[in-house]
Amino acid sequence: TEAVVVEGDFPIAFAKRVVDAVGNPTDGAIFQPGGDLMMLDLSSPSAEMMNVTEAYTQGQGDVSDPEVSFNGAKLLFSMRGPNDPSWNVWEYEIATESLTRVIADDAEANAGDDVDPAYLPDGRIVFSSNRQEKSRQLLEARGIEPFATLDEYERERAILLHVMNGDGTDIHQISFNQSHDRNPTVLSTGEIMFARWDHVGNRNHFPIFFTNPDGTNIFVQYGAFSPGNSFLHPREMPDGRVLTALMPLSGTREGGALVAVDIANFSEFNDPASNVPPDAIGQKQMTLFEIEFGMGVSEFGRYTTPYPLWDGSDRALVSWSPFRPEEEIDPVSGELVEVEGAPHYGVYMFDMVAQ
């Protein structure tokens, strides 16, 4: 196990969900019974696994988006139990094995679906939610009965960035968008990085955005005019680049290529800063074999939800599914064609140097 474990032999946590819970980038909050928060006491295939949430979900709830605290003592995640009307942010204290819903009041907690939580350096929590707290207040101030806006496909309420105290108080909305703002994480600068569903003209995609924790200085950082469509689950790497999964807007169950973006020196793939060497590129696939990040068949599987490690080993935890071919009848030609079957994601340790 020496080639696998994280230095210091730390445990790892992940969400284990049914495959139907994995949708498209344009899906904000999917609930499918059968999800739980799992922990391995060591990042090794032989480690003992513990189901953290089974007493609450009873096999009929769902869990997503675990995030570790800065000191490694707690986990934030989103959970919806079998009798819950909405997704809520929960916290797990590892030493005491205690579970607590962050927003204590039932009415407040169930005012919307709260997903994708992450700790801010000052102890507050950023998360995505379709409660649209500020948008409703503005409507009410204008004498309009408050309502939640739907995404531009008019399928579900748009999830937008919110911030609250660590005890669930003082909830306020910090982003405003016609559709989803997803996957917020905190950079070493204290800024929040997230993926925004941005549909302007003929561009319908998810570029990478930055904002301050108070919602000021919100700006597209990368991906508005670069190869690929949806830069999902972006995370900062120790060298300043961003590791992200790059995929189409639909059809691949949130799986795509594993891409490193030089976000400090490139605003787009072919738009470098003036001091960048001429042979530098804005984005690079990290895997040995090129992964299809469009709608075509990807014979080398698909990646999602990368988590770069900061232990000096140039590795990342990733979810990867091998290519699982199936045949279906082409509606135009009537012939059998090979397509990608449903994914089967597992948790892997990826060495970015050895690929």
Side-chain angles (χ1 to χ4, degrees):
T1 60
E2 289 183 357
V4 179
V5 297
V6 181
E7 184 178 353
D9 296 350
F10 293 105
I12 65 170
F14 57 93
K16 183 178 182 180
R17 309 180 71 189
V18 298
V19 70
D20 288 340
V22 186
N24 297 313
T26 53
D27 293 318
I30 298 176
F31 172 74
Q32 287 290 338
D36 275 300
L37 179 66
M38 315 297 292
M39 283 194 68
L40 291 173
D41 61 3
L42 189 68
S43 51
S44 165
S46 60
E48 183 178 351
M49 186 183 298
M50 178 178 67
N51 189 327
V52 174
T53 54
E54 63 179 338
Y56 186 81
T57 63
Q58 301 175 48
Q60 296 299 312
D62 202 359
V63 165
S64 68
D65 316 315
E67 184 75 20
V68 68
S69 64
F70 295 102
N71 63 2
K74 297 179 180 180
L75 292 169
L76 274 181
F77 62 99
S78 188
M79 179 164 62
R80 182 174 173 179
N83 300 312
D84 293 339
S86 66
W87 285 91
N88 297 142
V89 175
W90 287 72
E91 189 172 57
Y92 177 66
E93 188 169 345
I94 297 173
T96 61
E97 299 185 359
S98 60
L99 279 173
T100 306
R101 191 178 67 186
V102 173
I103 302 174
D105 181 75
D106 287 343
E108 187 70 49
N110 295 320
D113 293 297
D114 301 334
V115 296
D116 275 342
Y119 290 101
L120 290 169
D122 61 6
R124 293 181 300 159
I125 295 168
V126 59
F127 60 102
S128 293
S129 178
N130 60 21
R131 64 177 58 232
Q132 300 176 21
E133 181 266 349
K134 185 63 175 180
S135 300
R136 290 172 179 266
Q137 288 180 6
L138 293 172
L139 289 170
E140 191 171 19
R142 293 166 57 190
I144 301 172
E145 184 177 351
F147 63 90
T149 58
L150 302 180
D151 67 36
E152 62 186 76
Y153 292 166
E154 297 187 347
R155 304 165 309 139
E156 63 174 319
R157 293 188 293 176
I159 59 171
L160 302 167
L161 299 188
H162 291 65
V163 169
M164 63 181 169
N165 292 334
D167 61 2
T169 59
D170 192 23
I171 301 169
H172 57 281
Q173 181 181 343
I174 64 167
S175 78
F176 300 84
N177 185 25
Q178 63 181 352
S179 291
H180 303 319
D181 288 342
R182 298 190 51 189
N183 310 142
T185 58
V186 181
L187 300 167
S188 55
T189 61
E191 297 168 288
I192 295 168
M193 176 170 59
F194 64 100
R196 163 166 282 189
W197 184 1
D198 192 34
H199 191 178
V200 179
N202 63 351
R203 299 291 291 173
N204 188 9
H205 58 162
F206 275 81
I208 298 172
F209 273 69
F210 281 15
T211 184
N212 291 327
D214 62 359
T216 60
N217 201 32
I218 191 167
F219 195 73
V220 58
Q221 195 72 18
Y222 186 89
F225 298 99
S226 295
N229 181 281
S230 299
F231 294 83
L232 239 59
H233 305 286
R235 283 189 179 272
E236 187 178 21
M237 299 169 65
D239 63 8
R241 291 181 297 169
V242 167
L243 191 62
T244 180
L246 180 57
M247 65 197 70
L249 200 64
S250 63
T252 63
R253 309 277 189 129
E254 279 202 25
L258 193 63
V259 173
V261 176
D262 187 358
I263 211 160
N265 296 307
F266 285 80
S267 59
E268 296 295 341
F269 176 75
N270 57 356
D271 189 13
S274 58
N275 59 342
V276 174
D279 59 344
I281 56 175
Q283 65 188 63
K284 172 187 176 183
Q285 289 207 33
M286 301 300 287
T287 50
L288 182 63
F289 300 105
E290 290 280 305
I291 301 296
E292 169 65 45
F293 54 76
M295 295 294 291
V297 171
S298 178
E299 63 177 308
F300 298 110
R302 291 186 180 273
Y303 294 81
T304 189
T305 325
Y307 191 97
L309 301 181
W310 286 59
D311 64 348
S313 65
D314 290 315
R315 297 180 301 171
L317 287 167
V318 297
S319 289
W320 176 73
S321 173
F323 173 43
R324 308 180 78 213
E326 292 182 355
E327 289 186 334
E328 67 178 31
I329 297 176
D330 187 293
V332 177
S333 66
E335 298 178 351
L336 282 175
V337 294
E338 189 176 68
V339 298
E340 291 186 30
H344 193 140
Y345 287 111
V347 180
Y348 289 80
M349 186 73 78
F350 178 70
D351 187 319
M352 289 183 277
V353 176
Q355 298 180 293

